[in-house]
Amino acid sequence: MGAIENAEQTQEELILGFLADGRDEYTSGEALSAKLGLSRTAVWKHVESLRGKGYRIDAVPARGYRLVDVPDRLSPLELSPLLSTHHLGQSIHFHESLPSTNEAAFRLAADGAEHGEVVVTEQQTAGKGRRGRVWVSPPGLNLYFSAILRPELPPQRASELTLVAAVALAETLREEGVDALIKWPNDVQLGGRKVAGILTELSAEPERVHFVVVGIGVNLNAGREDFPPEVAATATSLSEALGRRVNRALFTTALWGRLEEWLDLHHEVGFDPVRQRWKELSSTLGQDVLVRTDRSELRGVAEDIDAAGALLVRTAQGSLERVLAGDVEQLRPRVTPRPE
Ligand code: BTN
């Protein structure tokens, strides 16, 4: 790409950034030209060029411009102008297709990538779920990304970041108007069906985390026909719950903003506020559960999570069992939030 083309792109990104900041309001052409040091005609030409690339921008005489829709892609061109984070997503590694964003992010991190760098793809051919499962990742419909984090945490506290991500995910989904809840440890569900999952992977020495890769998959626009039979009964998408298409770029940048806020709070204050919020958003606590771990099955009432995010289950015999990893079956699923 030549230098002139590059400069044009930057000005277009700046225009998109200003329009995105204006949300549903109009931004006057005069304000845009003053902010960018461009003539009104130059602003108009950039707006035309953006329209040619698939951005929908309303123009109303005497009011100005308003961003109505962005192309349904997740490359830096669509995401960067909408982002309001300091670190997360400031460097985006975008791919049309990858085996797994977690694998790509892990390699980048091992080669020295910085805190906040993100790998995003339109499609995964070998998307990884928890416990060796496959994450179904058809092209162009959903969100698949992995964030590289370099937290100042001992390895045994790294799992807290998964709960941070679950809280950020549930809150971002709730902003869209759905009743998202978290099923322990980190499945985000709508109406008892899974809409998003988190896979956290770690590189560490006994005393020190080198880096953490937090991989997140969110079913945004997948329809019934996009889920293979083995997950169709237990999966859903945000668009299915809302009954309309979701703007993936807007959702993605909203999620990254929310995730960064929670990561910052976790860094500054510790796990306690995360744990409190996780509990408010949990569908698991207070439920009769059947927990399957690698070695055994356990039945009881899910009472709490502890300071490490482990599930505390009260058995019929009265003992309190601590479960660090496993699959939970909620024998009476809860679909409304706990009273706050
Ligand atoms: C789960 O089983 O609930 C975790 C699913 C995690 C899926 C995401 S999609 C982006 C990232 N890359 C992967 O291969 N997996 C995670």
Side-chain angles (χ1 to χ4, degrees):
M1 190 183 282
I4 293 177
E5 215 175 313
N6 239 329
E8 301 266 308
Q9 189 183 351
T10 310
Q11 284 176 341
E12 287 179 10
E13 283 181 11
L14 287 169
I15 290 177
L16 282 173
F18 287 128
L19 294 181
D21 285 347
R23 308 226 164 225
D24 289 338
E25 301 297 314
Y26 283 85
T27 308
S28 74
E30 202 179 334
L32 283 175
S33 39
K35 278 175 176 159
L36 293 161
L38 293 174
S39 69
R40 299 278 293 271
T41 315
V43 168
W44 178 78
K45 279 188 182 159
H46 286 309
V47 167
E48 280 299 295
S49 159
L50 285 164
R51 284 176 170 159
K53 291 173 183 159
Y55 290 87
R56 277 183 53 216
I57 299 172
D58 258 6
V60 174
R63 293 184 76 184
Y65 300 104
R66 187 172 68 98
L67 184 61
V68 181
D69 205 359
V70 300
D72 191 22
R73 274 173 57 81
L74 298 177
S75 81
L77 187 63
E78 290 78 38
L79 297 179
S80 297
L82 307 177
L83 258 186
S84 54
T85 55
H86 300 291
H87 299 289
L88 197 66
Q90 287 304 319
S91 170
I92 298 173
H93 303 263
F94 171 76
H95 298 263
E96 286 299 336
S97 178
L98 276 177
S100 154
T101 57
N102 263 38
E103 280 177 9
F106 209 91
R107 275 197 304 275
L108 281 169
D111 287 345
E114 287 179 18
H115 176 84
E117 293 192 29
V118 171
V119 179
V120 191
T121 190
E122 290 284 348
Q123 169 187 29
Q124 294 184 120
T125 52
K128 296 194 290 181
R130 284 174 54 236
R131 300 166 71 75
R133 285 187 280 248
V134 168
W135 187 257
V136 178
S137 311
L141 293 171
N142 299 324
L143 168 61
Y144 322 108
F145 76 92
S146 299
I148 296 166
L149 305 178
R150 295 193 179 274
E152 290 163 21
L153 284 179
Q156 55 279 16
R157 287 191 54 203
S159 61
E160 292 173 14
L161 298 173
T162 310
L163 282 81
V164 169
V167 164
L169 258 171
E171 286 192 342
T172 309
L173 287 160
R174 284 175 165 268
E175 281 282 300
E176 296 285 328
V178 290
D179 278 334
L181 291 171
I182 306 168
K183 184 178 139 190
W184 186 88
N186 49 49
D187 286 357
V188 183
Q189 297 190 327
L190 302 179
R193 289 176 176 212
K194 183 154 166 170
V195 68
I198 306 161
L199 181 67
T200 303
E201 296 183 287
L202 176 72
S203 165
E205 297 167 27
E207 298 299 315
R208 193 176 68 92
V209 168
H210 297 150
F211 60 82
V212 177
V213 169
V214 178
I216 296 182
V218 191
N219 298 330
L220 289 178
N221 287 321
R224 280 284 96 217
E225 64 287 1
D226 299 305
F227 295 115
E230 59 278 16
V231 299
T234 53
T236 191
S237 68
L238 180 56
S239 74
E240 189 173 40
L242 290 172
R244 63 165 170 82
R245 189 181 70 83
V246 175
N247 185 312
R248 290 188 304 149
L250 289 173
F251 182 90
T252 303
T253 50
L255 173 59
W256 292 359
R258 192 60 75 119
L259 184 54
E260 184 171 272
E261 280 171 24
W262 275 104
L263 285 167
D264 288 352
L265 187 69
H266 178 253
H267 174 70
E268 283 153 24
V269 182
F271 184 52
D272 204 47
V274 180
R275 177 168 170 259
Q276 290 312 326
R277 189 66 181 128
W278 189 98
K279 286 172 68 166
E280 287 166 7
L281 293 166
S282 156
S283 64
T284 308
L285 300 186
Q287 297 296 302
D288 284 336
V289 292
L290 178 65
V291 188
R292 294 189 182 88
T293 68
D294 287 336
R295 274 160 289 134
S296 61
E297 278 191 7
L298 175 72
R299 201 179 158 156
V301 177
E303 263 193 14
D304 204 352
I305 54 165
D306 70 10
L311 188 66
L312 304 177
V313 180
R314 180 77 63 187
T315 66
Q317 293 71 40
S319 66
L320 195 60
E321 303 290 332
R322 185 168 183 266
V323 189
L324 262 170
D327 279 322
V328 165
E329 191 182 323
Q330 297 180 181
L331 302 170
R332 275 184 296 111
R334 191 168 72 87
V335 291
T336 51
R338 289 160 70 79
E340 290 177 14

